[in-house]
Coordinates of all heavy atoms in Angstrom, one line a residue:
S197 N -18.0 -13.6 -3.9 CA -16.7 -13.8 -4.6 C -15.9 -14.8 -3.8 O -16.2 -15.1 -2.6 CB -16.0 -12.5 -4.5 OG -15.9 -12.0 -3.2
H198 N -15.0 -15.4 -4.5 CA -14.0 -16.4 -3.9 C -13.2 -15.8 -2.7 O -12.9 -14.6 -2.7 CB -13.0 -16.9 -4.9 CG -12.2 -18.1 -4.5 ND1 -11.1 -18.0 -3.8 CD2 -12.4 -19.4 -4.6 CE1 -10.6 -19.1 -3.5 NE2 -11.4 -20.0 -4.0
R199 N -13.0 -16.5 -1.6 CA -12.3 -16.1 -0.5 C -11.1 -15.4 -0.7 O -10.8 -14.3 -0.2 CB -12.2 -17.2 0.5 CG -11.6 -16.8 1.9 CD -12.5 -15.9 2.6 NE -11.8 -15.4 3.8 CZ -12.3 -14.4 4.6 NH1 -13.5 -13.9 4.3 NH2 -11.7 -13.9 5.6
D200 N -10.1 -16.0 -1.5 CA -8.9 -15.5 -1.7 C -8.9 -14.1 -2.5 O -8.3 -13.1 -2.1 CB -7.9 -16.3 -2.6 CG -7.6 -17.7 -1.9 OD1 -7.7 -17.6 -0.7 OD2 -7.3 -18.6 -2.5
L201 N -9.8 -14.0 -3.4 CA -10.0 -12.7 -4.2 C -10.6 -11.7 -3.2 O -10.3 -10.6 -3.2 CB -10.9 -12.9 -5.4 CG -11.2 -11.6 -6.2 CD1 -9.9 -10.9 -6.7 CD2 -12.2 -12.0 -7.3
E202 N -11.6 -12.1 -2.4 CA -12.2 -11.3 -1.4 C -11.2 -10.7 -0.4 O -11.3 -9.5 -0.2 CB -13.3 -12.0 -0.7 CG -14.0 -11.2 0.4 CD -14.9 -12.0 1.2 OE1 -16.0 -12.3 0.9 OE2 -14.5 -12.4 2.4
D203 N -10.3 -11.5 0.0 CA -9.2 -11.0 0.9 C -8.5 -9.9 0.3 O -8.1 -9.0 0.8 CB -8.4 -12.1 1.4 CG -9.1 -13.0 2.6 OD1 -10.1 -12.5 3.0 OD2 -8.6 -14.0 2.8
E204 N -8.1 -10.1 -1.0 CA -7.2 -9.2 -1.6 C -8.0 -7.9 -1.9 O -7.4 -6.8 -1.6 CB -6.8 -9.7 -3.1 CG -5.8 -8.8 -3.7 CD -5.8 -8.7 -5.3 OE1 -6.1 -9.9 -5.8 OE2 -5.5 -7.8 -5.8
E205 N -9.3 -8.0 -2.2 CA -10.1 -6.7 -2.5 C -10.3 -5.9 -1.2 O -10.4 -4.7 -1.2 CB -11.3 -7.2 -3.1 CG -11.3 -7.7 -4.5 CD -12.7 -8.0 -5.0 OE1 -13.7 -8.2 -4.2 OE2 -12.8 -8.2 -6.2
L206 N -10.3 -6.6 -0.1 CA -10.7 -6.0 1.2 C -9.5 -5.6 2.0 O -9.7 -4.9 3.1 CB -11.7 -6.9 2.0 CG -13.0 -7.2 1.3 CD1 -13.8 -8.1 2.1 CD2 -13.8 -5.9 1.1
T207 N -8.2 -6.1 1.7 CA -7.2 -5.7 2.6 C -6.2 -4.8 1.9 O -5.2 -4.3 2.5 CB -6.4 -7.0 3.0 OG1 -6.0 -7.8 1.7 CG2 -7.3 -7.9 3.7
R208 N -6.3 -4.5 0.6 CA -5.4 -3.6 -0.1 C -6.0 -2.2 -0.4 O -7.1 -2.1 -0.9 CB -5.0 -4.2 -1.4 CG -3.6 -3.8 -1.9 CD -3.1 -4.8 -3.0 NE -3.9 -4.8 -4.1 CZ -3.5 -4.3 -5.3 NH1 -2.4 -3.8 -5.5 NH2 -4.4 -4.5 -6.3
I209 N -5.4 -1.2 0.3 CA -5.9 0.2 -0.1 C -5.0 1.0 -1.0 O -3.7 0.6 -1.1 CB -6.2 0.9 1.2 CG1 -4.7 1.3 1.9 CG2 -6.9 0.2 2.2 CD1 -4.9 2.2 3.2
F210 N -5.6 2.0 -1.7 CA -4.8 2.9 -2.6 C -4.8 4.2 -2.1 O -5.8 4.7 -1.7 CB -5.5 2.8 -4.0 CG -4.8 3.3 -5.1 CD1 -3.6 2.7 -5.7 CD2 -5.3 4.5 -5.7 CE1 -3.1 3.3 -6.7 CE2 -4.6 5.0 -6.9 CZ -3.5 4.4 -7.3
V211 N -3.6 4.9 -2.0 CA -3.5 6.2 -1.4 C -2.8 7.2 -2.2 O -1.9 6.8 -3.1 CB -2.9 6.1 -0.1 CG1 -3.8 5.3 1.0 CG2 -1.5 5.4 -0.1
M212 N -3.1 8.5 -2.0 CA -2.3 9.6 -2.7 C -1.3 10.1 -1.7 O -1.7 10.4 -0.5 CB -3.3 10.7 -3.1 CG -2.6 11.8 -3.9 SD -3.8 13.1 -4.2 CE -4.8 12.3 -5.5
I213 N 0.0 10.2 -2.0 CA 1.1 10.5 -1.1 C 2.0 11.5 -1.8 O 2.0 11.7 -2.9 CB 1.8 9.2 -0.7 CG1 2.4 8.5 -2.0 CG2 1.0 8.3 0.1 CD1 3.3 7.3 -1.8
P214 N 2.7 12.2 -0.9 CA 3.7 13.1 -1.4 C 4.8 12.2 -2.2 O 5.2 11.2 -1.9 CB 4.4 13.7 -0.2 CG 3.3 13.7 0.9 CD 2.6 12.3 0.6
K215 N 5.3 12.9 -3.3 CA 6.3 12.1 -4.1 C 7.6 12.0 -3.4 O 8.4 11.1 -3.9 CB 6.4 13.0 -5.5 CG 5.3 13.0 -6.3 CD 5.5 13.6 -7.7 CE 4.3 13.6 -8.6 NZ 4.5 14.3 -9.9
T216 N 7.8 12.6 -2.3 CA 9.0 12.3 -1.6 C 9.0 11.1 -0.7 O 10.0 10.6 -0.1 CB 9.4 13.5 -0.7 OG1 8.2 13.7 0.1 CG2 9.6 14.8 -1.5
Y217 N 7.8 10.5 -0.5 CA 7.7 9.4 0.3 C 8.4 8.1 -0.1 O 8.4 7.8 -1.4 CB 6.1 9.0 0.4 CG 5.5 9.6 1.6 CD1 5.8 10.8 2.1 CD2 4.3 9.0 2.2 CE1 5.1 11.4 3.2 CE2 3.6 9.5 3.2 CZ 4.0 10.8 3.7 OH 3.4 11.3 4.7
T218 N 9.0 7.4 0.7 CA 9.6 6.1 0.4 C 8.7 5.1 1.0 O 7.7 5.3 1.6 CB 11.0 5.9 1.2 OG1 10.7 5.9 2.6 CG2 12.0 7.0 0.8
E219 N 8.9 3.8 0.6 CA 8.0 2.8 1.1 C 8.0 2.7 2.6 O 7.0 2.3 3.3 CB 8.4 1.4 0.5 CG 8.2 1.3 -1.0 CD 8.4 0.0 -1.6 OE1 8.9 -1.0 -0.8 OE2 8.2 -0.3 -2.8
E220 N 9.2 3.0 3.2 CA 9.3 3.0 4.7 C 8.4 4.2 5.3 O 7.8 3.9 6.3 CB 10.7 3.2 5.1 CG 11.0 3.0 6.6 CD 10.4 1.6 7.1 OE1 10.6 0.6 6.5 OE2 9.9 1.6 8.2
D221 N 8.4 5.2 4.6 CA 7.6 6.4 5.1 C 6.1 6.0 5.0 O 5.4 6.3 6.0 CB 7.8 7.7 4.2 CG 9.2 8.2 4.3 OD1 9.7 8.1 5.5 OD2 9.7 8.8 3.3
L222 N 5.8 5.3 4.0 CA 4.3 4.9 3.8 C 3.9 3.9 4.8 O 2.9 3.9 5.5 CB 4.2 4.3 2.4 CG 2.8 3.9 1.9 CD1 1.8 5.1 2.0 CD2 2.8 3.3 0.6
R223 N 4.9 3.0 5.2 CA 4.6 2.0 6.2 C 4.4 2.7 7.5 O 3.6 2.3 8.3 CB 5.7 0.9 6.2 CG 5.5 -0.1 7.3 CD 6.7 -1.2 7.3 NE 6.8 -1.8 6.0 CZ 6.1 -3.0 5.9 NH1 5.3 -3.5 7.0 NH2 6.1 -3.7 4.8
E224 N 5.3 3.6 7.8 CA 5.3 4.4 9.1 C 4.0 5.1 9.3 O 3.5 5.1 10.4 CB 6.5 5.3 9.1 CG 6.7 6.0 10.4 CD 7.2 5.0 11.5 OE1 7.8 4.0 11.2 OE2 6.8 5.3 12.8
K225 N 3.5 5.7 8.3 CA 2.2 6.4 8.3 C 1.0 5.5 8.6 O 0.0 6.0 9.2 CB 2.0 7.3 7.0 CG 3.0 8.5 6.9 CD 2.7 9.5 8.0 CE 3.6 10.7 7.7 NZ 3.4 11.8 8.7
F226 N 1.1 4.4 8.1 CA -0.2 3.5 8.1 C -0.1 2.3 9.0 O -1.1 1.6 9.1 CB -0.5 3.1 6.7 CG -1.2 4.1 5.8 CD1 -0.4 5.1 5.2 CD2 -2.6 4.2 5.8 CE1 -1.0 6.1 4.4 CE2 -3.1 5.2 5.1 CZ -2.3 6.3 4.3
K227 N 1.0 2.1 9.7 CA 1.1 0.9 10.6 C 0.3 1.0 11.8 O 0.0 0.0 12.4 CB 2.7 0.7 10.9 CG 3.2 1.8 11.9 CD 4.7 1.4 12.3 CE 5.2 2.5 13.2 NZ 6.6 2.1 13.5
M228 N -0.2 2.3 12.2 CA -1.0 2.4 13.4 C -2.3 1.8 13.2 O -3.0 1.6 14.1 CB -1.1 3.8 13.7 CG -2.0 4.6 12.7 SD -2.1 6.4 13.1 CE -0.5 7.0 12.7
Y229 N -2.8 1.5 12.0 CA -4.1 0.9 11.7 C -4.2 -0.6 11.8 O -5.2 -1.1 11.8 CB -4.7 1.5 10.5 CG -4.7 3.1 10.4 CD1 -3.8 3.7 9.5 CD2 -5.4 3.9 11.3 CE1 -3.7 5.1 9.5 CE2 -5.3 5.1 11.3 CZ -4.4 5.8 10.4 OH -4.4 7.2 10.4
G230 N -3.0 -1.2 11.8 CA -3.0 -2.6 11.7 C -1.7 -3.2 11.2 O -0.8 -2.5 10.9
D231 N -1.7 -4.5 11.1 CA -0.5 -5.3 10.6 C -0.3 -5.1 9.1 O -1.3 -5.7 8.3 CB -0.5 -6.7 11.1 CG -0.6 -6.8 12.6 OD1 0.2 -6.1 13.2 OD2 -1.3 -7.6 13.0
I232 N 0.7 -4.6 8.6 CA 0.9 -4.4 7.2 C 1.7 -5.6 6.6 O 2.8 -5.9 7.1 CB 1.7 -3.1 6.9 CG1 0.7 -2.0 7.4 CG2 2.1 -3.0 5.4 CD1 1.5 -0.6 7.2
E233 N 1.1 -6.1 5.5 CA 1.8 -7.2 4.8 C 2.9 -6.6 3.8 O 4.0 -7.1 3.8 CB 0.8 -8.0 3.9 CG 1.4 -9.2 3.3 CD 0.4 -10.0 2.6 OE1 -0.8 -10.1 3.0 OE2 0.8 -10.7 1.6
Y234 N 2.5 -5.6 3.2 CA 3.5 -5.0 2.3 C 3.0 -3.5 1.9 O 1.8 -3.3 2.0 CB 3.8 -5.8 1.0 CG 2.8 -5.8 0.0 CD1 2.5 -4.8 -0.8 CD2 1.9 -7.0 -0.1 CE1 1.4 -4.9 -1.8 CE2 0.9 -7.1 -1.0 CZ 0.7 -6.1 -1.8 OH -0.4 -6.1 -2.8
C235 N 4.0 -2.7 1.5 CA 3.8 -1.4 1.0 C 4.4 -1.3 -0.4 O 5.5 -1.8 -0.5 CB 4.2 -0.2 1.9 SG 3.4 -0.1 3.4
S236 N 3.8 -0.6 -1.3 CA 4.5 -0.3 -2.5 C 4.1 1.0 -3.2 O 3.0 1.5 -2.9 CB 4.1 -1.4 -3.7 OG 2.7 -1.4 -3.9
I237 N 5.0 1.7 -3.7 CA 4.9 3.0 -4.4 C 4.9 2.9 -5.9 O 5.7 2.2 -6.4 CB 5.9 3.9 -3.9 CG1 5.8 4.2 -2.4 CG2 5.9 5.3 -4.7 CD1 6.9 5.0 -1.9
I238 N 3.9 3.5 -6.5 CA 3.9 3.4 -8.0 C 4.8 4.5 -8.6 O 4.8 5.6 -8.2 CB 2.4 3.7 -8.5 CG1 1.5 2.8 -7.9 CG2 2.4 3.8 -10.0 CD1 0.0 3.1 -8.2
K239 N 5.7 3.9 -9.6 CA 6.8 4.8 -10.1 C 6.6 4.9 -11.6 O 6.1 4.0 -12.2 CB 8.1 4.2 -9.7 CG 8.4 4.2 -8.2 CD 9.7 3.7 -7.9 CE 10.0 3.8 -6.4 NZ 11.3 3.3 -6.0
N240 N 7.1 6.0 -12.1 CA 7.2 6.2 -13.6 C 8.2 5.2 -14.1 O 9.3 5.0 -13.8 CB 7.7 7.6 -13.9 CG 7.6 7.9 -15.3 OD1 8.3 7.3 -16.2 ND2 6.8 8.9 -15.7
K241 N 7.7 4.4 -15.2 CA 8.5 3.3 -15.6 C 9.7 3.8 -16.3 O 10.8 3.1 -16.5 CB 7.7 2.5 -16.6 CG 6.5 1.7 -16.0 CD 5.7 0.9 -16.9 CE 4.6 0.2 -16.2 NZ 3.7 -0.5 -17.1
T242 N 9.7 5.1 -16.9 CA 10.8 5.6 -17.6 C 11.9 6.3 -16.6 O 13.1 6.0 -16.8 CB 10.3 6.6 -18.6 OG1 9.3 6.0 -19.5 CG2 11.5 7.2 -19.5
T243 N 11.4 7.1 -15.8 CA 12.3 7.9 -14.9 C 12.5 7.2 -13.5 O 13.5 7.5 -12.9 CB 11.7 9.3 -14.7 OG1 10.4 9.2 -13.9 CG2 11.4 10.0 -16.0
G244 N 11.7 6.4 -13.1 CA 11.8 5.7 -11.9 C 11.3 6.6 -10.8 O 11.5 6.3 -9.5

C-alpha cells in the first residue's frame, strides 16, 4: 500500500469508551503509549 495510506491505517485506533468521556479524557488515557496527533469522539449527529 502507498506510504501515506499505510501510515493512516497503522497509526489510528478505534476504541469503545464510556459516554461521559471528553476528548481530553480520551487523550489522558492513551497518551502513555506514545505521541498523540489527535483524538476524536463519535457523536450522534442529531443529539450531539
Side-chain angles (χ1 to χ4, degrees):
S197 58
H198 188 274
R199 180 66 188 173
D200 291 341
L201 178 59
E202 180 187 272
D203 280 347
E204 185 206 334
E205 289 179 344
L206 298 175
T207 57
R208 206 162 62 110
I209 68 172
F210 190 71
V211 295
M212 183 181 293
I213 55 176
K215 292 185 177 181
T216 55
Y217 267 28
T218 64
E219 290 182 2
E220 189 56 39
D221 293 329
L222 186 55
R223 179 182 294 273
E224 187 66 25
K225 289 289 184 181
F226 282 86
K227 69 180 183 181
M228 69 179 72
Y229 307 113
D231 300 317
I232 294 176
E233 184 175 332
Y234 69 80
C235 295
S236 62
I237 292 176
I238 300 172
K239 297 181 179 180
N240 185 300
K241 294 178 181 178
T242 305
T243 65

